[in-house]
Amino acid sequence: MKFAITKDRPNRLRDRVADGIIESFLLHGHEISSENNGVSFILNLTDIESPRPGRRRSQSVFIISLVAADRYHGDIRSLCYGTLVRTLSNLLLCADSPDGYKANNAYSSEMYFTTPEAGFYHMPFEPERVYRRMLPIAGSHYAIENRFSTDLPDRLSTPSAVVRKIRQYGKELDNLGVLPTPFPLKQILSEEELRHIFKIYGITGLSYGNLSAREQVPEIGETTFWMTGRGVDKSNISKVGKDVFLVKGFDYETGEALVSVPRDHDPKGRVSVDAVEHELIYRTFPDVGAIVHVHAWMDGVHCTSQNYPCGTQELVQEVVTMLKQTSDPSHASVGLKNHGLTITGETLDEIFGRIRGRLLVEVPMYV
């Protein structure tokens, strides 16, 4: 795997940590290259006080930003998540040396990991352990593009009974306290940065969790389902083609969700990045009629082995494999490491009847 390195002004702790991480990648046979030479990720060495956004030519290039917080004494979790967003990163690494006099020694520091899915955990800095945590993200493959067709039947331009159920349960997720407030991108990103993040990911806002449910529309596809939009406030779903979309299939070669929209759809709207996961679940398990993904937890769930990013082929395959190993894939709950839950059921009514009162707002973090 090839990777590039970009660097702001020097920082002693950050740069010593970076040296250890880079050495581990090189020892495992990976190669430093230029940004335009087919790299899988860019290691963005930046400053926590004025972080530089990572820039990639396509969504297939991941940004992993590294900062040092050795002079910071506030809420490290909020600082890290804000920096993740400001750097447009797939993963933020933050080195913190609690003992200022040890700042020259990278091995005395703690390494904090922050992901866009709000995963947040830390461990003592050891280059090999950090390498093993970075590799699944750096080597992942997104499948989050949309291919639109304005072939949505006119009768479905007005919310159907299935869409009204999605709207109902989006509000319930909010009431249960497991639907994080949309992150105000416009408050911390410049217009240029907003344009860049929309160009790469089709994102105009950040709001976590999603819901989907089957609705048979035989004139446009065999496996059709409604799913909430990307980054929209799930507690305030209103318009078809903006807040909720009909997915009629997936092109796995191009990584595109096949989306049926009305003629007056929002041109900036996109279906959730988890559409690839939901489509494969529906196609693999015909008895599944609805799926809920929340950034919450339940006791006793089995968990994926890696914290792959949302919308990646690797996460999809692991979730489907885990569902196959359950006694009843159509009524199952799978834990996503440092992330949340994917829950299948016959209907949204049935799913919420099972999980109501069991959801834990705090997702446990595993190193």
Side-chain angles (χ1 to χ4, degrees):
M1 180 167 58
K2 295 179 181 179
F3 66 101
I5 302 168
T6 59
K7 185 176 180 179
D8 279 350
R9 61 187 181 183
N11 175 284
R12 187 171 296 173
L13 175 60
R14 181 203 67 196
D15 294 345
R16 287 178 180 268
V17 166
D19 288 344
I21 294 171
I22 293 166
E23 182 179 1
S24 286
F25 270 90
L26 297 178
L27 287 173
H28 284 276
H30 306 291
E31 176 185 345
I32 298 174
S33 187
S34 64
E35 295 178 44
N36 57 0
N37 189 29
V39 297
S40 296
F41 75 96
I42 296 172
L43 183 60
N44 178 38
L45 310 183
T46 189
D47 186 273
I48 201 163
E49 296 174 354
S50 54
R52 177 184 59 185
R55 294 300 180 108
R56 73 272 277 168
R57 294 179 179 270
S58 72
Q59 64 179 224
S60 63
V61 178
F62 284 72
I63 299 292
I64 299 178
S65 291
L66 174 60
V67 297
D70 48 311
R71 295 183 297 276
Y72 185 78
H73 302 288
D75 181 351
I76 190 71
R77 183 170 188 164
S78 296
L79 176 73
C80 286
Y81 193 75
T83 306
L84 172 92
V85 175
R86 293 173 70 189
T87 54
L88 311 180
S89 299
N90 303 96
L91 174 66
L92 180 82
L93 305 176
C94 178
D96 182 27
S97 182
D99 301 317
Y101 72 92
K102 292 182 179 179
N104 292 343
N105 181 3
Y107 294 91
S108 71
S109 64
E110 288 281 307
M111 180 62 75
Y112 290 85
F113 296 74
T114 309
T115 70
E117 296 81 22
F120 181 78
Y121 62 95
H122 66 98
M123 62 186 186
F125 173 67
E126 295 176 14
E128 182 63 20
R129 293 183 71 193
V130 172
Y131 164 79
R132 292 199 300 268
R133 298 301 176 273
M134 291 173 63
L135 191 62
I137 295 176
S140 297
H141 300 85
Y142 271 124
I144 63 173
E145 292 286 359
N146 285 199
R147 187 190 305 169
F148 294 108
S149 303
T150 53
D151 59 353
L152 187 74
D154 290 341
R155 70 181 188 278
L156 296 175
S157 295
T158 300
S160 68
V162 175
V163 173
R164 292 196 296 273
K165 281 291 182 182
I166 290 176
R167 177 190 294 168
Q168 171 188 337
Y169 285 112
K171 292 181 182 296
E172 178 161 347
L173 285 179
D174 190 41
N175 292 334
L176 290 172
V178 298
L179 191 63
T181 302
F183 199 88
L185 291 181
K186 293 183 179 179
Q187 294 182 17
I188 61 173
L189 298 183
S190 68
E191 287 298 322
E192 180 185 359
E193 290 163 351
L194 286 168
R195 285 193 296 272
H196 181 73
I197 201 170
F198 174 74
K199 178 182 177 182
I200 298 297
Y201 294 111
I203 291 175
T204 57
L206 286 179
S207 177
Y208 301 116
N210 50 67
L211 306 93
S212 72
R214 286 190 196 262
E215 179 159 2
Q216 297 298 332
V217 188
E219 62 264 49
I220 63 172
E222 295 181 1
T223 302
T224 50
F225 61 93
W226 292 101
M227 188 169 191
T228 48
R230 188 176 305 176
V232 304
D233 181 357
K234 312 312 184 296
S235 68
N236 189 29
I237 295 165
S238 59
K239 183 176 174 56
V240 171
K242 177 179 180 291
D243 304 311
V244 63
F245 295 86
L246 186 73
V247 180
K248 59 182 179 179
F250 207 93
D251 186 329
Y252 287 87
E253 289 188 7
T254 62
E256 294 175 303
L258 309 180
V259 185
S260 180
V261 293
R263 287 182 290 275
D264 65 344
H265 70 99
D266 182 351
K268 286 193 172 182
R270 299 290 187 275
V271 73
S272 168
V273 296
D274 289 311
V276 59
E277 178 186 325
H278 289 218
E279 198 277 340
L280 188 58
I281 291 173
Y282 285 126
R283 187 154 48 83
T284 306
F285 308 106
D287 291 336
V288 173
I291 303 169
V292 173
H293 167 58
V294 288
H295 287 206
W297 205 250
M298 291 193 298
D299 290 332
V301 296
H302 292 290
C303 181
T304 58
S305 61
Q306 298 288 353
N307 58 324
Y308 295 117
C310 283
T312 56
Q313 297 174 25
E314 288 78 7
L315 178 61
V316 173
Q317 293 300 328
E318 186 160 9
V319 169
V320 170
T321 296
M322 290 187 68
L323 285 171
K324 289 179 178 178
Q325 294 169 353
T326 65
S327 59
D328 183 1
S330 60
H331 302 83
S333 300
V334 171
L336 312 179
K337 184 177 181 180
N338 299 340
H339 181 165
L341 298 165
T342 291
I343 306 163
T344 64
E346 298 170 29
T347 64
L348 289 173
D349 289 335
E350 187 271 325
I351 288 176
F352 277 82
R354 263 174 32 228
I355 68 174
R356 200 175 281 120
R358 296 184 60 201
L359 291 178
L360 307 175
V361 175
E362 190 71 22
V363 177
M365 295 292 148
Y366 301 103
V367 176

